[in-house]
Amino acid sequence: LQSAIAGAERIFELLDTPPAIVDAPDAIVLPPVQGHVEFDHVSFEYERGKPVVDGICFEAQPGQTIALVGPTGAGKTTLVSLLVRFYDVERPSVIRIDGHDIRTVTQESLRRQIGVVLQDTFLFSGTVLENIRYGRLDATDEAVVSAAKLANADQFITRLPEGYQTLLGERGHNLSQGQRQMISIARAVLAQPRVLILDEATSSVDTRTEKLIQAALDHLLTGRTSLVIAHRLSTIQNADQVIVIDDNRIIERGTHKELMQAQGLYHDLYQSQFRRQMSHGVE
């Protein structure tokens, strides 16, 4: 009983914590968007006087894929966290979607139109079907199965003991990393977001699974504005624009071909990865 009381106190302490990000009193519901994303002189710091990103400016037209590249700690994840309002920027920094300052719209209406596929996929205790349906709670069983097929997840799901009704443990510990990623992609396919954020979904899987995931991602990216945090640079060669961030600022931008010809930081990162892959016998 004493242990339960202590646990309950911690739970209620968490529930009573006021949220750091709240909607403005006059916040509007974001209407269906086309996917024009704009970062206008965006600076942000977690600690005063220590900027994580500084004066970031770029825009993505509807349907474009923008790759964010740079060393660990350069601020790539911070940028996408700001886009979904896990944190808010302060003026004069502005982030817009279809011309709307994202601070002037409700968080729910904003996040409903943004899909996120992260490296570390969180799966809940429940069936495979329920985990995919988390992408759109009112989806039919047929829509869930269709999304799984587009994500190349249907083949392994149908081989599970109970198929789509197979129970998963919390965090999906009874699935491989690649299988969890494909379920995460199926969620995003089901949600049909106009804006998509990918934090390199293929960085910790084997080569065969990577090809399946990459094929699913290619389908998912079609027609959507996408911001891709790229660790394996070979996966973003077809991006409309590659933005290289270092020391909290944009230092290079252009297509893969243009940046390779410029022989700057991107060229050096790409060549070092290529040599490392060759030394491990990877084509």
Side-chain angles (χ1 to χ4, degrees), residues 44-52:
F44 182 77
E45 51 191 32
Y46 296 105
E47 297 180 40
R48 288 291 178 188
K50 296 181 179 180
V52 182

Side-chain angles (χ1 to χ4, degrees), residues 2 18 37 45 73 119 124 184 196 202 245:
Q2 197 70 30
V37 177
E45 51 191 32
Q119 280 180 293
F124 300 93
S184 177
L196 185 65
T202 63
I245 303 172

Side-chain angles (χ1 to χ4, degrees), residues 89-94 101 103-104:
V89 294
E90 296 180 2
R91 297 189 185 280
S93 300
V94 183
D101 183 336
R103 291 168 298 195
T104 66

Side-chain angles (χ1 to χ4, degrees), residues 88-271:
D88 267 344
V89 294
E90 296 180 2
R91 297 189 185 280
S93 300
V94 183
I95 301 174
R96 303 182 185 90
I97 293 184
D98 283 15
H100 296 276
D101 183 336
I102 62 173
R103 291 168 298 195
T104 66
V105 302
T106 63
Q107 296 173 69
E108 181 184 5
S109 64
L110 171 70
R111 293 170 182 167
R112 193 178 295 276
Q113 302 196 56
I114 299 176
V116 182
V117 179
L118 302 175
Q119 280 180 293
D120 186 18
T121 302
F122 191 93
L123 300 183
F124 300 93
S125 297
T127 66
V128 173
L129 193 79
E130 290 167 340
N131 268 281
I132 297 175
R133 186 179 276 129
Y134 188 70
R136 180 159 54 87
L137 297 177
D138 60 351
T140 64
D141 290 357
E142 291 76 15
V144 171
V145 173
S146 178
K149 289 179 178 177
L150 291 173
N152 286 332
D154 181 69
Q155 288 187 349
F156 89 80
I157 292 173
T158 54
R159 291 197 299 267
L160 294 174
E162 303 295 329
Y164 283 85
Q165 297 302 323
T166 300
L167 283 171
L168 301 179
E170 189 165 314
R171 291 191 174 273
H173 61 80
N174 44 343
L175 297 179
S176 71
Q177 173 70 20
Q179 289 170 336
R180 293 196 293 270
Q181 287 289 21
M182 284 189 271
I183 287 181
S184 177
I185 294 168
R187 278 180 183 169
V189 171
L190 188 65
Q192 293 292 310
R194 294 302 308 155
V195 178
L196 185 65
I197 294 170
L198 297 178
D199 186 353
E200 189 62 85
T202 63
S203 60
S204 54
V205 298
D206 60 78
T207 305
R208 179 178 176 276
T209 305
E210 179 184 5
K211 290 180 179 178
L212 289 173
I213 293 175
Q214 196 59 52
L217 290 176
D218 289 344
H219 175 85
L220 184 57
L221 291 172
T222 303
R224 293 182 174 83
T225 305
S226 306
L227 271 63
V228 181
I229 298 176
H231 302 289
R232 291 186 182 179
L233 302 185
S234 58
T235 63
I236 48 96
Q237 294 184 26
N238 295 324
D240 295 287
Q241 185 176 187
V242 178
I243 293 175
V244 184
I245 303 172
D246 192 24
D247 197 24
N248 317 123
R249 299 172 180 270
I250 295 176
I251 61 168
E252 294 179 309
R253 68 176 81 206
T255 64
H256 167 77
K257 184 177 180 180
E258 290 168 347
L259 293 180
M260 289 298 289
Q261 290 174 343
Q263 297 195 358
L265 177 60
Y266 179 84
H267 173 271
D268 295 343
L269 290 172
Y270 188 88
Q271 290 294 344

